[in-house]
Amino acid sequence: MNILNYSLQRRTAMKTDKLPVWLNNAVFYEIYPQSFKDSNGDGIGDLKGIIQKLDYIKTLGFNAVWLNPCFDSPFTDAGYDVRDYKKIAPRYGTNEDMKQLIDEVHKRDMHIILDLVPGHTSAEHEWFRQSMKPERNEFTDRYIWTNSIWESTEGIPCIRGISDRDGSAGVNFFSTQPALNYGYADRTRDYMQAPNDKAPMAARAAIKDVMSFWLDMGCDGFRVDMAGSLVKNDPDGSENIKLWQDLRQFLDEKYPHCAMISEWGEPEKSIAGGFHMDFLLHFGPMCYTSLFRSEKPFFSKSGGDISVFRNEYQKFYDSADGRGLICIPSSNHDMDRIARYRDTDDLKVCFAFLLSMCGAPFVYYGDEIGMNYVEGLTSVEGGFGRTGSRTPMQWDKTLNAGFSACQKTLIPLDPSPDRPDVLSSLSDKDSLLNTVSELIALRQAHSALQNFGGFEFIYAEKNKYPLIYRRYDDNEEIFAVINPLGKAAECSLEICINGDVLFKTGGEINTEAGKISVPPCSAFLIKTK
């Protein structure tokens, strides 16, 4: 089977699987709401502030927004501890403000996905308050409880002595995040229920109800936190896959437009479960970290090994078999910003890669201007080492970089005198911001570069540079040549990649005499047909 025919079969398979059409060319912008734009001067970003900046996002070329948690919460973990799934946190606004945001996004022919945290709630959630009571009630088994306060939960941490109920309550991470009960695949203790028992099915039904609430308001889908960990003691992921297949069937029947994106990091499992997309992440296999965040990342002037990424990515790509997307984010709220240890030239090469790969691109707010990871900040709302990646957006050179009129912001700003900002970047034709916008426009103008265009490694050898891959469809063929190294690189190829240079950064490429030669810290996109 030739590659072009294979590409056609992949795209046909996606249509059969009822993929929301808007995902074909979606380019996502991730917004951390408390740090994006403060509209009322309290030092915390809010939904009205996001509405004020939608035209900025749209102008750059982004056509989809991922909004990090914005539901009511005590914010011990920045909103990933939900107190009320159906209420917007008052500091961000109201449910009416969310409706307005959704409508304003749609007016701009964009889409918006919300962050869904189905695995745990806040300890202040009414469900958990009811479950702590010693008398049996509707919520007694909504969470994972052992039968005795002297018995710990197996495989996850627990909290105990918090109420008159005899038992220890399992938590997923922080002690303020009790784990909802979706059952256990491998049941080794009396307290462990099966995934299809009454209480785990009730938890599942409750999450369907939450999803319906926001989908009925008009949101376009969800990014699902810790998607592969709902059913416990599930080493091969089979019970979690079954759970998500059930939710996928529910969505296909009632909300076929709903896009589902998993924080799972194992596309062979998440896509089998019915997710449309999965992320390559900073945990799990070395695939993602070998690119940007290992001890010797490939995207560095000193050099790394692309074969680590090649081997894992090819495996994931093959296992997806056209049924879903594998997404590579620039950064996110849980990891160091991509700009850490990199200059603007380095970042341009990184984005040439991120915005020419298959799968839907995800750009974390501020990465498009090269915002720094701010070192040494005191933890804010459970951020700890992540706090340095959550600092306020830098819009201009006025007070608080244009983020807020408040004298003190929730999270301190980057104190660097040369910190980048949007206004300055827009007026600099050589800025990272303008390069990112150029790359997005190029992606949208060429079908081969879009999310389901074909992909093939051409040159990705162990400890060698440059990286070369091919993007294609029935209409065109584009080669990416990427050299993050701090010195020139070359390789010999049997195929010819002469053609129109659609994009370049870092100098000129030489493709004569069967060799590809590129200067240091450079990237090129070349259309050959």
Side-chain angles (χ1 to χ4, degrees):
M1 179 182 296
N2 68 54
I3 294 173
L4 290 178
N5 286 340
Y6 180 62
S7 173
L8 181 60
Q9 287 194 0
R10 290 173 64 83
R11 287 183 278 114
T12 301
M14 287 306 305
K15 292 177 182 178
T16 301
D17 287 349
K18 302 178 181 179
L19 172 82
V21 174
W22 64 272
L23 289 182
N24 286 330
N25 69 341
V27 181
F28 285 86
Y29 190 80
E30 179 188 352
I31 295 177
Y32 199 64
Q34 59 262 63
S35 296
F36 193 62
K37 177 61 179 174
D38 171 20
S39 71
N40 60 6
D42 64 356
I44 303 173
D46 47 51
L47 298 185
K48 288 186 180 296
I50 295 170
I51 292 171
Q52 292 174 9
K53 294 299 182 179
L54 286 178
D55 286 339
Y56 162 76
I57 298 169
K58 173 72 173 180
T59 300
L60 291 183
F62 295 98
N63 56 13
V65 170
W66 161 23
L67 187 60
N68 288 140
C70 53
F71 305 145
D72 183 43
S73 168
F75 292 99
T76 61
D77 188 19
Y80 283 93
D81 49 327
V82 177
R83 182 164 51 199
D84 187 339
Y85 283 108
K86 295 183 179 181
K87 179 184 177 182
I88 294 298
R91 74 185 198 181
Y92 296 145
T94 64
N95 284 18
E96 289 73 24
D97 292 331
M98 174 56 78
K99 175 59 176 171
Q100 183 186 2
L101 173 59
I102 290 171
D103 290 345
E104 290 295 329
V105 166
H106 290 163
K107 283 180 185 178
R108 291 163 175 80
D109 196 26
M110 300 166 66
H111 293 83
I112 182 168
I113 61 171
L114 303 181
D115 220 321
L116 180 67
V117 187
H120 53 261
T121 69
S122 165
E124 295 183 15
H125 197 293
E126 185 59 26
W127 297 347
F128 190 66
R129 291 183 183 276
Q130 293 296 320
S131 80
M132 287 193 293
K133 293 180 177 179
E135 303 83 15
R136 289 199 63 82
N137 61 68
E138 177 185 354
F139 301 100
T140 295
D141 295 325
R142 180 63 57 89
Y143 296 82
I144 296 173
W145 286 85
T146 65
N147 294 322
S148 166
I149 196 170
W150 312 116
E151 181 182 14
S152 301
T153 47
E154 182 180 290
I156 58 173
C158 66
I159 49 177
R160 63 184 93 195
I162 56 174
S163 73
D164 291 334
R165 177 174 179 171
D166 188 9
S168 302
V171 296
N172 273 344
F173 192 63
F174 292 161
S175 59
T176 55
Q177 296 170 321
L180 286 162
N181 179 20
Y182 294 93
Y184 282 73
D186 182 16
R187 294 175 293 284
T188 58
R189 304 254 192 105
D190 289 344
Y191 71 85
M192 296 177 177
Q193 299 186 7
N196 59 353
D197 282 348
K198 181 179 179 180
M201 293 302 290
R204 194 182 302 193
I207 292 302
K208 289 179 181 178
D209 179 60
V210 170
M211 297 169 80
S212 293
F213 181 84
W214 296 107
L215 290 167
D216 288 340
M217 187 178 287
C219 94
D220 298 296
F222 302 95
R223 174 268 188 186
V224 179
D225 186 67
M226 296 177 63
S229 67
L230 271 59
V231 178
K232 306 302 184 186
N233 284 10
D234 186 25
D236 65 358
S238 59
E239 289 298 333
N240 277 289
I241 289 171
K242 290 177 185 176
L243 181 152
W244 286 110
Q245 286 173 339
D246 174 48
L247 269 69
R248 180 75 261 167
Q249 181 178 352
F250 159 75
L251 292 169
D252 283 343
E253 291 172 356
K254 293 194 64 177
Y255 307 99
H257 71 284
C258 175
M260 293 293 286
I261 307 166
S262 65
E263 185 195 38
W264 198 315
E266 297 179 85
E268 72 277 13
K269 296 177 182 177
S270 58
I271 293 173
F275 282 94
H276 298 117
M277 295 183 274
D278 194 4
F279 289 108
L280 298 185
L281 295 165
H282 55 295
F283 56 80
M286 276 287 290
C287 186
Y288 179 78
T289 53
S290 71
L291 293 173
F292 304 114
R293 292 173 175 81
S294 64
E295 184 177 344
K296 294 182 177 181
F298 177 77
F299 281 89
S300 65
K301 287 188 171 71
S302 57
D305 181 9
I306 194 60
S307 69
V308 177
F309 171 76
R310 178 200 66 208
N311 294 340
E312 289 289 336
Y313 187 83
Q314 190 68 59
K315 180 184 70 174
F316 291 148
Y317 183 84
D318 292 343
S319 70
D321 194 27
R323 295 171 293 119
L325 294 167
I326 303 167
C327 305
I328 308 174
S330 63
S331 304
N332 68 25
H333 55 288
D334 281 337
M335 65 177 84
D336 295 353
R337 282 194 179 272
I338 195 170
R340 196 180 194 190
Y341 309 127
R342 294 183 175 90
D343 60 27
T344 299
D345 291 338
D346 296 328
L347 292 172
K348 288 181 179 181
V349 175
C350 291
F351 275 102
F353 168 78
L354 289 165
L355 292 170
S356 65
M357 282 291 289
C358 53
F362 279 77
V363 176
Y364 186 47
Y365 84 97
D367 278 356
E368 75 276 14
I369 60 172
M371 276 181 59
N372 299 317
Y373 173 86
V374 181
E375 310 284 346
L377 291 181
T378 299
S379 178
V380 177
E381 296 185 343
F384 298 96
R386 304 170 296 179
T387 305
S389 294
R390 301 175 177 183
T391 56
M393 181 66 174
Q394 295 152 198
W395 295 105
D396 54 39
K397 296 190 183 301
T398 62
L399 174 69
N400 293 322
F403 164 71
S404 172
C406 186
Q407 289 299 314
K408 184 177 181 181
T409 58
L410 176 67
I411 300 177
L413 276 90
D414 178 4
S416 303
D418 60 346
R419 67 189 181 203
D421 64 81
V422 170
L423 188 60
S424 301
S425 297
L426 286 171
S427 62
D428 178 3
K429 64 181 179 62
D430 294 323
S431 68
L432 176 64
L433 179 65
N434 283 319
T435 297
V436 169
S437 184
E438 176 188 357
L439 284 163
I440 295 174
L442 192 65
R443 184 182 183 94
Q444 300 294 30
H446 292 274
S447 56
L449 291 175
Q450 292 177 12
N451 300 352
F452 290 100
F455 173 83
E456 179 188 16
F457 285 112
I458 300 299
Y459 188 84
E461 301 302 313
K462 185 176 179 63
N463 297 320
K464 298 289 183 64
Y465 288 79
L467 165 65
I468 303 175
Y469 50 90
R470 174 176 170 250
R471 299 298 314 281
Y472 58 88
D473 63 11
D474 294 338
N475 302 311
E476 59 183 351
E477 177 181 68
I478 297 173
F479 287 86
V481 183
I482 311 288
N483 180 31
L485 203 59
K487 60 183 179 181
E490 69 174 28
C491 66
S492 297
L493 290 181
E494 295 181 0
I495 61 173
C496 175
I497 64 170
N498 288 329
D500 297 330
V501 178
L502 303 177
F503 171 85
K504 64 179 179 179
T505 183
E508 302 294 334
I509 187 171
N510 188 328
T511 60
E512 297 177 358
K515 285 187 177 181
I516 303 293
S517 300
V518 290
C521 200
S522 62
F524 306 87
L525 298 177
I526 303 169
K527 181 178 178 179
T528 58
K529 70 174 184 178

